[in-house]
């Protein structure tokens, strides 16, 4: 009897783990995150990280605003990786930084984070990674698609599309 109980408990745990992984995979398919890693924690490296962020966001905002889904957003970013890197390098060089940067589109683990009322659980997500120099400093991250961090402040119409997307996600989870 005890063996049967142990088997049932282990089976229940296995089912719960599989369900959790599937839920995470579903969420991963809906979001493209962005992560910009500073060279170090020095005040100068943190400042230039934000300047690079501003340049990357300004470049990608109109691109990602036109994307209809994650696959399209990933393709758009992948096709522009070298231009993203060029723009980041330009910001670094203009400020006198010679440590360079790398840009990659990959899958990476992120902690739980809340953006405008939407909480993204801890998990592995598709991500655009911009590493400045040694990439050992505090970093900045957000959601590139749907463009939660790429919203033009004056665009109420575009903001309503994001609200609709968030509501759809909440409905699926309910």
């Amino acid at each position: 009897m005890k063996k049967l109980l142990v088997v049932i408990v282990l089976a229940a745990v296995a089912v719960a783990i599989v369900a959790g992984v599937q839920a995470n995979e579903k969420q991963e398919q809906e979001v493209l995150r962005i992560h910009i890693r500073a060279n170090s924690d020095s005040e100068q490296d943190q400042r230039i990280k934000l300047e690079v962020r501003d340049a990357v966001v300004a470049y990608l905002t109109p691109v990602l605003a036109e994307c209809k889904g994650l696959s399209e957003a990933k393709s758009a970013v992948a096709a522009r990786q070298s231009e993203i890197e060029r723009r980041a390098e330009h910001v670094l060089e203009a400020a006198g930084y010679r440590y360079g940067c790398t840009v990659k589109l990959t899958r990476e683990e992120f902690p739980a984070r809340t953006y405008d009322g939407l909480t993204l659980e801890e998990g592995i997500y598709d991500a655009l990674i911009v590493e400045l120099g040694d990439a050992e400093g505090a970093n900045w991250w957000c959601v590139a698609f749907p463009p939660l961090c790429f919203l033009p402040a004056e665009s109420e119409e575009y903001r309503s599309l994001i609200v609709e997307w968030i509501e759809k996600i909440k409905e699926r989870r309910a």
Side-chain angles (χ1 to χ4, degrees), residues 3-174:
K3 286 183 182 180
L4 180 60
L5 182 59
V6 168
V7 169
I8 291 171
V9 169
L10 289 176
V13 168
V15 168
I17 289 171
V18 168
V21 167
Q22 288 174 342
N24 251 359
E25 286 174 357
K26 182 177 180 184
Q27 187 177 29
E28 291 167 23
Q29 296 172 357
E30 300 168 348
V31 176
L32 175 64
R33 300 188 69 170
I34 182 170
H35 196 173
I36 300 177
R37 298 177 177 140
N39 180 59
S40 75
D41 284 331
S42 76
E43 185 177 322
Q44 297 85 1
D45 283 341
Q46 290 299 307
R47 180 186 51 76
I48 199 70
K49 170 194 71 182
L50 297 177
E51 290 180 29
V52 168
R53 175 206 60 195
D54 293 346
V56 170
V57 168
Y59 174 65
L60 287 177
T61 294
V63 171
L64 294 172
E66 297 298 318
C67 294
K68 303 285 188 262
L70 177 61
S71 177
E72 191 176 328
K74 286 171 47 178
S75 293
V77 169
R80 291 164 176 82
Q81 274 184 256
S82 60
E83 181 61 18
I84 295 166
E85 187 168 314
R86 188 187 72 73
R87 288 173 184 251
E89 292 274 2
H90 177 75
V91 171
L92 293 172
E93 290 171 5
Y97 293 87
R98 302 286 178 238
Y99 49 65
C101 74
T102 58
V103 174
K104 59 187 173 185
L105 190 59
T106 188
R107 293 176 58 76
E108 197 167 278
E109 188 164 346
F110 284 82
R113 187 78 182 232
T114 300
Y115 304 96
D116 291 336
L118 172 68
T119 299
L120 296 178
E121 300 301 323
E122 176 181 336
I124 298 173
Y125 292 87
D126 292 305
L128 171 64
I129 308 296
V130 179
E131 295 181 328
L132 307 178
D134 294 330
E136 295 179 355
N139 51 69
W140 177 85
W141 60 52
C142 203
V143 178
F145 185 85
L148 297 179
C149 299
F150 289 58
L151 292 176
E154 61 279 349
S155 175
E156 291 304 317
E157 178 181 343
Y158 193 62
R159 183 173 299 281
S160 69
L161 294 174
I162 297 303
V163 169
E164 288 174 22
W165 181 84
I166 291 170
E167 289 171 357
K168 286 179 187 175
I169 296 295
K170 288 179 180 178
E171 286 173 12
R172 285 187 211 149
R173 290 183 180 169

